[in-house]
Amino acid sequence: MDNIVLIGFMGVGKGTLARALAGKTGLYAVDTDDLIESLTNMKIRKIFKKKGERYFRELERQTAQWLAQNVRQTIISTGGGFYQVENLKEIGTVVYLRADFDWIYKRIIKSKNAEKKLKKRPLFKSYKKAKNLYRERVEGYERVADLIIDVEGKELDQLIEELKPHLPTSK
Ligand code: S3P
């Protein structure tokens, strides 16, 4: 479908870019974690704690089905593990936001609400664990991407310009 699906590691800035793009283009932006939180009326952190990661991955699969069936011409930001859903390509053009792990880590640590950002992300509890997860995933992100955008050192406006030619147009 003619959506844009932003994938990439936790904290790389998928949600920030999705919202900035929406603000500039008049398209809507939705986030898979937000959809899951509204579906379950639970915070992601709580879902992990009470139900476990496997259950969360099942919710991601369910959300992916719903998106493919119901959502058009929208910018979709995703959780860092969402790229593993089977029907990813059916949802839209997959854009991988790429950056080195240490750049991502610094981005989170330096942010105003760093504590909140880390708390929100159960898989980012330790630097070492998160780095291993990053290493495990890098290849997968690249494999499923239709387009790769290197985000390090770029302003939001520059990223928006790079993405513009790939955005859904109203027909
Ligand atoms: C996850 C990333 C999180 C969230 C959940 C699991 C992951 O989203 O979906 O904590 O597996 O990488 P962000 O990428 O928005 O942090």
Side-chain angles (χ1 to χ4, degrees), residues 18-137:
R19 286 187 295 274
L21 266 170
K24 284 260 158 102
T25 58
L27 292 165
Y28 283 97
V30 297
D31 181 84
T32 59
D33 282 345
D34 291 345
L35 292 170
I36 289 170
E37 288 191 346
S38 63
L39 177 72
T40 56
N41 193 22
M42 274 169 105
K43 293 284 180 198
I44 301 298
R45 189 160 48 110
K46 199 161 171 204
I47 298 173
F48 268 76
K49 207 168 150 203
K50 296 245 149 128
K51 305 270 192 176
E53 180 172 349
R54 189 192 283 220
Y55 181 76
F56 175 73
R57 299 299 170 204
E58 187 49 46
L59 292 171
E60 286 193 316
R61 268 193 288 279
Q62 191 181 327
T63 303
Q65 296 293 335
W66 181 82
L67 286 166
Q69 279 160 24
N70 297 293
V71 175
R72 306 285 176 271
Q73 296 191 356
T74 294
I75 301 151
I76 301 168
S77 55
T78 64
F82 188 86
Y83 75 103
Q84 297 172 92
V85 299
E86 277 159 26
N87 67 333
L88 187 70
K89 301 286 217 182
E90 283 168 33
I91 304 172
T93 305
V94 179
V95 180
Y96 170 35
L97 303 185
R98 183 167 66 183
D100 282 345
F101 180 78
D102 284 328
W103 183 89
I104 293 172
Y105 188 70
K106 277 188 203 129
R107 180 178 180 272
I108 294 186
I109 294 298
K110 280 197 299 199
S111 67
K112 271 196 300 237
N113 41 1
E115 210 174 307
K116 195 171 154 211
K117 286 197 165 154
L118 286 171
K119 221 167 148 190
K120 229 182 78 184
R121 300 179 161 97
L123 298 178
F124 218 125
K125 259 194 230 137
S126 96
Y127 172 90
K128 209 170 152 209
K129 277 194 188 147
K131 192 163 184 167
N132 284 338
L133 187 62
Y134 175 91
R135 287 210 185 105
E136 273 169 42
R137 285 183 175 170

